[in-house]
Amino acid sequence: MPAEQVYSLLFQSRDGASSLYILFGGIVDPVSSRIDRFDVVAVGNSELINIPLSGTTFKDVTNVCQKIKYEGKQLKNLTNKLQELFQNSGRSDDFMEQLIHYINKREDDKIKYLVNQIQNQAMGNSKPDISLWYSLIDRDKIDEAGSGKSSFETLDSEEAHDDPMSEEAPTIPIGVPTGIDASIPPTASRVQFKFILSPVSGIPVSQLKPGDQIVVQLTGSDPTTMGIIDSMKLKTEDGSIKPIPATVVATENKGVENETIVKIGNDVFGKIYEEENSIKVRLYTGEKPVSKSGGSSVSAASNASLEAGESSLLLTVLIALGVVGIGMIAIFVFLL
């Protein structure tokens, strides 16, 4: 395979039961085993992504994605989550090895399975209808639009001509992070996590700042996160994951939403989206976070101590009543 050729990978995912529809376009480099760049959008109206994939180019798909985003018709939180998950997967050696192998062998069902595994991390377990289209293209033709561009119902050529925003719609480059993502080193491992909340004494997520120490819990089933969980021995016997301290590296407030990047150990970072600024995150005070299993042990010990105290008190009362009873009988006999 010539080094100047890459795969254009396009797919549509339609889940009518939950009204979630996804359009994705990516450039897969089989030589470097990486996703060079991609664009993805999630919507609640299937008509917005109703384009034929056959004969469509990567540029066509990015035009559709960017137009939907520009008009504010996307499901923003789901789109952002998918963007992050595909970015992580595009850097995963294990995922890319499987993806390229299945593309080379044209095993569509297995490609759909890989894609759906990523989607399920963002939208829960589902079985959407996934349509695929992929083909080898010359690298210098990546930014060419297809001949069928004018037939897309979601694209208006005259509007695109008048709109400077749509003329050079940016795609998401894997190797060049932007925004707060630039605070994550290119060689760092990226994991999935969630905040440990503290409604009473915690700090609102909107007030987090770089350097704050908080408590988080790793989540997700992607290879990177699972590898870190195993290496840090965070999984307990009952299968739960121990909370761990993390340092806030960067934050960005977007109205009612927040993006936060944290550092966990050496060269391990994570990014999270939160829809509500009012939630309060537990601060790390230097004490070892108590896992669920640990909390259960403490609770069990407290219950046992309480039961022992109650039994001792009951025995004392019974003895006292016995002594009083014997005394009364003796007095009764003496008087007779």
Side-chain angles (χ1 to χ4, degrees), residues 37 55 136 181 188 287 312:
R37 45 178 162 156
L136 271 176
D181 287 280
E287 299 178 358
S312 177

Side-chain angles (χ1 to χ4, degrees), residues 188-218:
S189 298
R190 293 186 58 154
V191 296
Q192 304 298 315
F193 73 95
K194 67 178 181 179
F195 291 126
I196 296 298
L197 305 182
S198 180
V200 177
S201 60
I203 180 173
V205 66
S206 59
Q207 296 180 18
L208 288 174
K209 59 185 182 299
D212 284 345
Q213 299 280 312
I214 60 175
V215 182
V216 303
Q217 184 181 50
L218 299 190

Side-chain angles (χ1 to χ4, degrees), residues 221-282:
S221 57
D222 59 286
T224 301
T225 302
M226 294 304 297
I228 297 300
I229 289 174
D230 292 339
S231 64
M232 296 181 70
K233 299 180 179 179
L234 298 179
K235 183 173 290 188
T236 63
E237 293 182 358
D238 63 0
S240 61
I241 308 300
K242 299 176 184 177
I244 55 175
T247 302
V248 176
V249 175
T251 63
E252 184 175 349
N253 186 280
K254 297 182 177 181
V256 297
E257 299 175 337
N258 257 85
E259 295 181 13
T260 306
I261 290 179
V262 302
K263 182 178 181 181
I264 305 166
N266 293 326
D267 209 28
V268 178
F269 290 75
K271 179 180 176 181
I272 191 172
Y273 294 90
E274 278 296 341
E275 300 179 3
E276 298 180 12
N277 287 333
S278 59
I279 67 168
K280 292 186 176 182
V281 182
R282 182 188 302 177

